[in-house]
Amino acid sequence: MILKSSESKQAQFDELNRLLLTPNLSAKQHELISKEIHALKQGMLGEQNSEYEINFYLQDSKNWAVIHDLRIEHNGRVAQIDHLLINRLLDVFVIETKNFSADLQINEQGEFTAWYNKKPIGIPSPFAQNEKHIEVLKALSKTLPLPTRLGVTLMPSFHSVVMVSKQQRITRPKNFDSKNIIKADQILEWVTKTNSDDAGFGRIFGSLAKMVSGETVMDIAELFTRHHRPIKIDYKAKFGIIGMNDPAVTAQQVAAKPQVIAPLAIVPVADTEQEGAKLTSSKLAAKLGLKNTQALIDLLVAKGLVEMVNDKPKLTQQGKAIGGEAKFNPKFGPYFIWPSNMPI
């Protein structure tokens, strides 16, 4: 069951886009802000894809509590957690989402390398990053009114998980344990292996003293959720814009500037690229020579055929009138199909 969904990043995108229009902005500042937008977009892409896969299988489960986008402050330390899953054995899976646009390699020492254009670039270990989050959660747990049994407090067991895109290419080592590095579409298999209802007899017997009801799982998840502390980033200070001429910029001005990077809307696309005489968005984008599906969505929004509702694309009446249809695939989720000869 979902206790908390991800929070919208639209306000952050809007502010960064406005800052790109600041008069007298240096080339370096423009570059840094553009990189921030790209990083925010990539992070959101990974988180939304992972959230979709997790919700697809767990949103109706009474044995799992799911928390997305959780930020904890405790004893001067901060944990920014992408996804938190809790089951009836009080296993708490702390999931760090990564959306790499390069091949990922892990060596025998657990070091991570991203390969861009056949060039290796060392990157920080997401497991090391996650361990810091877990330390904050462990410390916080000691202060929470957790359930007890026979006078003993039932403490959760924390597990670090790294989730990457289902398209990610991963080179895994032979000796380093990388089983907790999973692709987003492997969540069902992974949950089945860790779900208390399907676990082996030995594991259930050993953890029986900690097994709690589904209601208790939700209560514990609520305790963590109450400690969520969102933060507002001061981008002006971060990029040294304080004191510069920074007039208010209208939404129309932002939309009119070609260099501004718009927030990403995710549209899962089915494997079947064509349905009858109609094309999926990815197929239509390729036919029109556009860079990707997102470029098509941006064009359709500009034409009034699609509108963004809660950061998600939705067909307008005009889009339906020209033959656009919203479809749903059990594996890939919602997507659109369009007439192959649609005038754009």
Side-chain angles (χ1 to χ4, degrees):
M1 190 169 294
I2 312 300
L3 265 291
K4 180 183 178 300
S5 299
S6 292
E7 298 174 8
S8 173
K9 304 295 193 299
Q10 187 63 51
Q12 292 170 253
F13 277 113
D14 290 345
E15 182 178 1
L16 289 167
N17 283 333
R18 283 194 295 269
L19 291 181
L20 277 180
L21 301 176
T22 303
N24 303 319
L25 197 68
S26 71
K28 184 63 175 178
Q29 287 172 319
H30 192 284
E31 177 187 1
L32 292 175
I33 295 172
S34 297
K35 286 183 177 180
E36 185 80 11
I37 293 174
H38 177 74
L40 185 62
K41 181 182 291 188
Q42 289 296 106
M44 189 177 73
L45 174 62
E47 290 172 18
Q48 288 186 339
N49 279 338
S50 297
E51 181 171 349
Y52 170 81
E53 296 289 346
I54 291 170
N55 290 355
F56 189 86
Y57 296 111
L58 297 183
Q59 64 182 355
D60 297 322
S61 173
K62 297 180 180 179
N63 296 320
W64 286 83
V66 179
I67 304 171
H68 299 295
D69 195 10
L70 179 67
R71 184 180 182 274
I72 300 293
E73 295 180 2
H74 184 69
N75 288 341
R77 296 187 293 180
V78 176
Q80 180 68 58
I81 300 161
D82 295 332
H83 316 282
L84 201 71
L85 310 184
I86 309 173
N87 67 13
R88 292 180 58 205
L89 293 177
L90 294 190
D91 290 320
V92 179
F93 296 92
V94 184
I95 301 179
E96 176 72 16
T97 295
K98 294 298 181 184
N99 186 44
F100 298 105
S101 57
D103 292 343
L104 182 64
Q105 183 181 48
I106 310 159
N107 67 16
E108 302 292 346
Q109 289 72 44
E111 298 169 335
F112 287 69
T113 301
W115 288 79
Y116 295 91
N117 298 322
K118 299 183 179 180
K119 294 182 179 180
I121 300 177
I123 58 176
S125 167
F127 279 125
Q129 181 180 3
N130 229 13
E131 284 303 321
K132 295 178 181 178
H133 298 163
I134 288 175
E135 287 302 314
V136 175
L137 289 172
K138 285 181 177 179
L140 175 64
S141 296
K142 294 177 181 179
T143 70
L144 299 178
L146 296 172
T148 61
R149 186 164 294 164
L150 299 178
V152 178
T153 300
L154 301 180
M155 295 299 295
S157 299
F158 294 91
H159 309 274
S160 180
V161 180
V162 175
M163 186 177 287
V164 298
S165 165
K166 57 188 177 184
Q167 288 87 21
Q168 182 68 55
R169 180 178 177 180
I170 307 175
T171 301
R172 299 176 183 266
K174 294 182 179 180
N175 298 321
F176 177 77
D177 186 1
S178 63
K179 69 177 181 296
N180 275 11
I181 303 173
I182 66 172
K183 295 187 177 184
D185 60 347
Q186 295 174 326
I187 185 67
L188 178 60
E189 176 186 3
W190 177 72
V191 164
T192 301
K193 289 181 179 179
T194 56
N195 193 324
S196 60
D197 292 339
D198 298 315
F201 175 79
R203 179 166 180 247
I204 291 181
F205 182 80
S207 303
L208 191 59
K210 286 178 60 176
M211 186 177 290
V212 297
S213 67
E215 291 79 4
T216 300
V217 170
M218 302 307 157
D219 291 340
I220 293 173
E222 178 63 27
L223 291 175
F224 284 118
T225 304
R226 289 178 190 171
H227 286 78
H228 174 61
R229 298 294 183 269
I231 187 174
K232 178 175 173 57
I233 301 174
D234 188 345
Y235 286 119
K236 288 183 181 180
K238 181 173 183 177
F239 300 113
I241 298 178
I242 294 179
M244 296 178 62
N245 183 17
D246 180 27
V249 180
T250 67
Q252 289 79 9
Q253 287 174 306
V254 171
K257 291 287 184 178
Q259 72 270 29
V260 174
I261 304 172
L264 178 64
I266 297 174
V267 184
V269 178
D271 280 338
T272 303
E273 290 292 339
Q274 185 167 337
E275 293 197 7
K278 295 188 177 181
L279 305 178
T280 61
S281 297
S282 61
K283 191 70 174 181
L284 181 59
K287 178 181 178 181
L288 296 174
L290 297 175
K291 183 177 180 181
N292 51 33
T293 303
Q294 182 58 44
L296 175 66
I297 296 297
D298 292 340
L299 178 60
L300 296 174
V301 169
K303 295 285 187 179
L305 305 179
V306 171
E307 61 181 342
M308 301 305 296
V309 178
N310 295 326
D311 296 334
K312 295 181 180 179
K314 180 181 178 181
L315 272 178
T316 63
Q317 289 301 321
Q318 184 178 351
K320 294 177 182 179
I322 67 167
E325 295 183 54
K327 296 285 188 176
F328 185 85
N329 181 287
K331 181 178 179 181
F332 294 93
Y335 64 101
F336 298 130
I337 58 174
W338 308 94
S340 59
N341 60 347
M342 183 173 69
I344 296 183

